[in-house]
Amino acid sequence: MKEKISAIEQEITAEAITNGEQLEQFRIKYLGSKGLIKALFADLKEVPNEQKREVGQLLNGLRTKAQEKFDSQKEALENQDQEEHKLDVTRPGDAIEIGARHPLSLVRSEIIEIFNRIGFSVSEGPEIEDDWHNFSALNFPPEHPARDMQDTFFIEKGEKEMALRTHTSSVQVRVMENSQPPIRTISPGRVYRNEAISARAHCFFHQVEGLYIDKDVSFADLKQTLLYFAKEMFGEKAHIRLRPSYFPFTEPSAEVDVSCTICNGKGCNVCKYTGWLEILGCGMVDPNVLEASNIDSKEYTGFAFGMGVERIAQLKYRVNDLRLYSENDVRFLKQFTGGI
Ligand code: PHE
């Protein structure tokens, strides 16, 4: 037994440990629960009683020796590890990925800039609106079927029934209530409609609506402003056409198409061979709307228009599935590298 102990002792001294794997092997071989030292302790009961004390002490010494070797080698390896990972200031740095702006932010900013250049300010308002600002002040009589044009999310808030705004025309009502003409403003923002989500419809989207009220504002001003916008947004070759339409808050009302940005009006599958793409709704502000906000409709006239940011982005970037804009898939978002 004593010989065995001293043989193992020599073995331990001779054991070379240069990496983590060898260290672990060492631990298993000598210190593990199925290791050599454990086995020797088990053999202790066969040692004659008068030698037990001496052999026991030798065994304890052996175990301490193995443990000490393990500890010191472990520390040495750790130090070595740190040494190897010392900061090397000459190494090239890791590239930091800079984010890109969301395509809808890019398009919204571009729309805002285009209108800023001709004197439109930006106004914002709440997304949770009351009936007055979203409907009544905009000439939607109660129970009028026009309210169904915009599938509304209603919310109960205390006594009052509120709604998620269905358009940012509500912001324009707030501007008219709080200021007197001349008014020249655009209202960008998120709007909500109770629609099933698909490639072509979503329960929320973004709009930029515009309002211009002053003395002698005419339909010709509206048309020229929209032509200017189309050319700035889609290029010098763009032209527009207006088709009669209906909105409760404008009279007359029109829907505006821009000449197809792909085929320049010749006809292709994007414009469904019509040569035209619908981009916005507009019209002359109904006198009832001016009066509802205490603006004298005998003295002032105005025009309004509203466009969907997703729609403009779709034409600009050829992204046909609306859902992509809100899924936040970085593979999609990375492709838009406009200014930060
Ligand atoms: N508010 C209308 C909509 O959301 C758009 C519009 C604005 C139309 C102003 C005409 C004038 O559909």
Side-chain angles (χ1 to χ4, degrees):
M1 185 79 172
K2 282 193 210 161
E3 279 142 37
K4 248 191 196 168
I5 293 173
S6 78
I8 292 177
E9 197 172 345
Q10 278 168 19
E11 228 182 279
I12 288 175
T13 317
E15 207 72 69
I17 298 172
T18 53
N19 58 38
E21 179 136 355
Q22 287 171 350
L23 183 71
E24 180 62 4
Q25 290 304 332
F26 178 90
R27 190 189 65 76
I28 294 168
K29 185 170 173 190
Y30 299 101
L31 297 164
S33 56
K34 293 186 180 132
L36 290 173
I37 298 176
K38 200 85 180 186
L40 287 177
F41 270 106
D43 291 347
L44 196 59
K45 53 182 180 300
E46 262 111 68
V47 172
N49 271 346
E50 63 277 13
Q51 288 183 31
K52 266 206 174 99
R53 196 181 143 90
E54 192 194 349
V55 175
Q57 276 171 355
L58 285 174
L59 265 180
N60 277 333
L62 183 67
R63 186 171 52 191
T64 311
K65 190 172 171 137
Q67 187 66 48
E68 276 171 6
K69 173 143 185 165
F70 175 82
D71 291 343
S72 68
Q73 293 301 100
K74 187 172 175 212
E75 201 183 307
L77 282 178
E78 276 167 4
N79 286 343
Q80 186 186 332
D81 221 34
Q82 269 173 17
E83 197 72 11
E84 276 167 14
H85 290 97
K86 251 195 187 158
L87 183 65
D88 175 0
V89 290
T90 64
R91 277 180 59 189
D94 292 333
I96 299 170
E97 270 201 61
I98 38 171
R101 288 187 67 189
H102 192 282
L104 294 180
S105 298
L106 291 172
V107 172
R108 185 191 50 202
S109 305
E110 197 174 340
I111 298 170
I112 291 174
E113 255 173 50
I114 291 171
F115 284 104
N116 274 348
R117 290 205 282 277
I118 52 170
F120 281 77
S121 63
V122 172
S123 31
E124 290 182 324
E127 293 186 12
I128 298 175
E129 265 299 5
D130 50 28
D131 179 276
W132 173 255
H133 292 96
N134 198 74
F135 291 122
S136 297
L138 288 161
N139 202 32
F140 288 83
E143 316 299 333
H144 193 279
R147 290 179 180 230
D148 288 345
M149 281 165 72
Q150 306 188 335
D151 306 293
T152 311
F153 284 117
F154 290 100
I155 305 173
E156 267 178 39
K157 207 178 168 197
E159 294 286 279
K160 229 172 162 185
E161 190 177 62
M162 303 287 280
L164 295 181
R165 67 181 178 197
T166 58
H167 50 184
T168 58
S169 303
S170 55
V171 181
Q172 307 188 330
V173 174
R174 289 175 181 277
V175 173
M176 288 189 283
E177 282 173 342
N178 295 320
S179 48
Q180 278 298 310
I183 292 171
R184 200 156 29 173
T185 191
I186 48 171
S187 33
R190 180 175 285 187
V191 301
Y192 301 83
R193 298 201 189 164
N194 191 357
E195 304 226 20
I197 296 171
S198 71
R200 307 174 128 260
H202 212 295
C203 58
F204 66 80
F205 58 97
H206 301 80
Q207 284 190 326
V208 178
E209 295 215 353
L211 177 70
Y212 179 28
I213 302 172
D214 204 347
K215 287 180 180 147
D216 302 323
V217 174
S218 71
F219 202 90
D221 297 320
L222 169 61
K223 210 175 157 185
Q224 199 57 34
T225 304
L226 296 177
L227 181 62
Y228 156 78
F229 168 72
K231 286 183 182 296
E232 292 293 302
M233 192 75 206
F234 299 109
E236 194 43 43
K237 284 206 203 108
H239 42 121
I240 57 169
R241 75 173 182 187
L242 279 73
R243 286 177 286 108
S245 185
Y246 170 75
F247 298 102
F249 33 89
T250 45
E251 184 60 38
S253 305
E255 217 109 28
V256 180
D257 298 339
V258 64
S259 49
C260 180
T261 50
I262 309 232
C263 63
N264 286 326
K266 283 189 214 67
C268 67
N269 63 353
V270 173
C271 60
K272 304 206 179 69
Y273 301 95
T274 62
W276 296 99
L277 300 161
E278 187 184 323
I279 54 164
L280 55 86
C282 66
M284 299 306 292
V285 181
D286 192 299
N288 289 344
V289 173
L290 297 175
E291 294 296 337
S293 298
N294 294 323
I295 291 175
D296 185 352
S297 64
K298 298 211 174 48
E299 199 176 346
Y300 295 107
T301 52
F303 67 69
F305 57 86
M307 68 186 89
V309 180
E310 280 82 350
R311 173 70 177 155
I312 307 288
Q314 177 189 12
L315 299 179
K316 209 176 152 78
Y317 297 122
R318 316 250 172 278
V319 174
N320 289 327
D321 191 328
L322 272 179
R323 292 168 294 194
L324 287 166
Y325 290 116
S326 49
E327 280 170 355
N328 281 338
D329 184 331
V330 282
R331 291 168 301 178
F332 171 70
L333 296 176
K334 260 186 181 165
Q335 299 172 65
F336 306 91
T337 50
I340 299 291

